[in-house]
Amino acid sequence: MSTPIIAPSILAADFANLAHEVNMINESEADWIHVDIMDGVFAPNFSMGIPVVEAIRRHARKPLDVHLMIVNPERHVEAFRKAGADNISVHIEVCQHLHRNIQQIQAMGCKAGVAINPHTSVSALENIIQDIDVVCVMSVNPGFGGQKFIENTYRKVSQLKSLIAQSHASAKIEIDGGVTLQNARALVDAGADVLVAGHLVFSAADPKGIIRQLKAIS
Ligand code: DX5
Ligand code: ZN
């Protein structure tokens, strides 16, 4: 078992002090910066857009893991790439041509992820798992930080782990939503490779200490 990739979610940061928040992540043991994009259509909320991603990029010394919770992501992936995205995840629930969308993202030099909502079965990934770099397993419903972790996620992580092994695929399993110091180890034991953490990190008195604790899981 290797140590997890830790991706603090900037959604929970102080948006009036973004440079300070990004610098904290730079100085921490975190690996990626998770950036949630919401359109008020697919996700019942708005978060941030291209200028904010560009601003984060100017300060960030770590890869930007951009999670698109938007309809018609194929219309916008190029703009997010130009703004500085290193990984781009799209939701399976909105992609009629998922395979094409993945090719589009990888052709721009990005890692491609597929995000699945809590109700979406792992079996929906059977014919795409070999082509993707990341599966973002939503462990809350898209739209808000600080929600309660959905326990069925463990079952999905185990199923996904088997699917990846059977398919000789190499996709990383990313858990997004409600990660705590209590569930993080069990998630890694179940097969999670990447832990996203928003409120856990940014509401802590010592965010770098929390990141260090998550990173120490092996
Ligand atoms: C939810 C977002 C998550 C969120 C996680 O729509 O996709 O990335 O920021 O935040 P926490 O860790 O606070 O649940
Ligand atoms: Zn996210």
Side-chain angles (χ1 to χ4, degrees), residues 48-112:
M48 63 197 101
I50 307 281
V52 178
V53 178
E54 285 170 349
I56 294 169
R57 177 76 279 165
R58 281 198 293 278
H59 293 275
R61 297 200 301 269
K62 311 216 168 175
L64 298 191
D65 179 44
V66 174
H67 176 195
L68 296 181
M69 286 166 276
I70 64 174
V71 296
N72 303 315
E74 69 286 352
R75 297 185 192 166
H76 306 286
V77 287
E78 201 179 330
F80 281 104
R81 174 58 170 160
K82 283 193 182 135
D86 297 281
N87 309 339
I88 297 182
S89 293
V90 293
H91 266 267
I92 194 168
E93 297 85 8
V94 297
C95 291
Q96 282 181 320
H97 299 285
L98 184 62
H99 190 270
R100 180 182 290 151
N101 303 147
I102 295 304
Q103 286 182 319
Q104 181 192 14
I105 292 167
Q106 290 171 336
M108 299 185 309
C110 275
K111 300 272 186 222

Side-chain angles (χ1 to χ4, degrees), residues 129-130 132-134 164 168-172:
I129 194 74
Q130 291 181 38
I132 63 181
D133 303 293
V134 178
I164 290 169
H168 305 291
S170 57
K172 289 184 172 23

Side-chain angles (χ1 to χ4, degrees), residues 30-184:
D31 302 278
W32 298 349
I33 302 180
H34 188 80
V35 182
D36 286 313
I37 307 296
M38 304 178 190
D39 64 354
V41 180
F42 176 70
N45 197 6
F46 296 97
S47 57
M48 63 197 101
I50 307 281
V52 178
V53 178
E54 285 170 349
I56 294 169
R57 177 76 279 165
R58 281 198 293 278
H59 293 275
R61 297 200 301 269
K62 311 216 168 175
L64 298 191
D65 179 44
V66 174
H67 176 195
L68 296 181
M69 286 166 276
I70 64 174
V71 296
N72 303 315
E74 69 286 352
R75 297 185 192 166
H76 306 286
V77 287
E78 201 179 330
F80 281 104
R81 174 58 170 160
K82 283 193 182 135
D86 297 281
N87 309 339
I88 297 182
S89 293
V90 293
H91 266 267
I92 194 168
E93 297 85 8
V94 297
C95 291
Q96 282 181 320
H97 299 285
L98 184 62
H99 190 270
R100 180 182 290 151
N101 303 147
I102 295 304
Q103 286 182 319
Q104 181 192 14
I105 292 167
Q106 290 171 336
M108 299 185 309
C110 275
K111 300 272 186 222
V114 173
I116 59 171
N117 271 345
H119 76 275
T120 299
S121 298
V122 164
S123 59
L125 296 166
E126 268 171 21
N127 292 300
I128 196 80
I129 194 74
Q130 291 181 38
D131 301 305
I132 63 181
D133 303 293
V134 178
V135 179
C136 177
V137 180
M138 292 300 295
S139 37
V140 297
N141 285 294
F144 305 91
Q147 300 182 81
K148 190 174 175 300
F149 178 82
I150 295 171
E151 296 289 325
N152 186 51
T153 307
Y154 295 113
R155 200 167 73 97
K156 291 176 80 172
V157 173
S158 306
Q159 291 170 344
L160 199 44
K161 194 84 188 151
S162 307
L163 176 63
I164 290 169
Q166 280 161 20
S167 316
H168 305 291
S170 57
K172 289 184 172 23
I173 302 175
E174 176 175 44
I175 308 300
D176 189 9
V179 169
T180 63
L181 290 178
Q182 286 69 45
N183 60 24

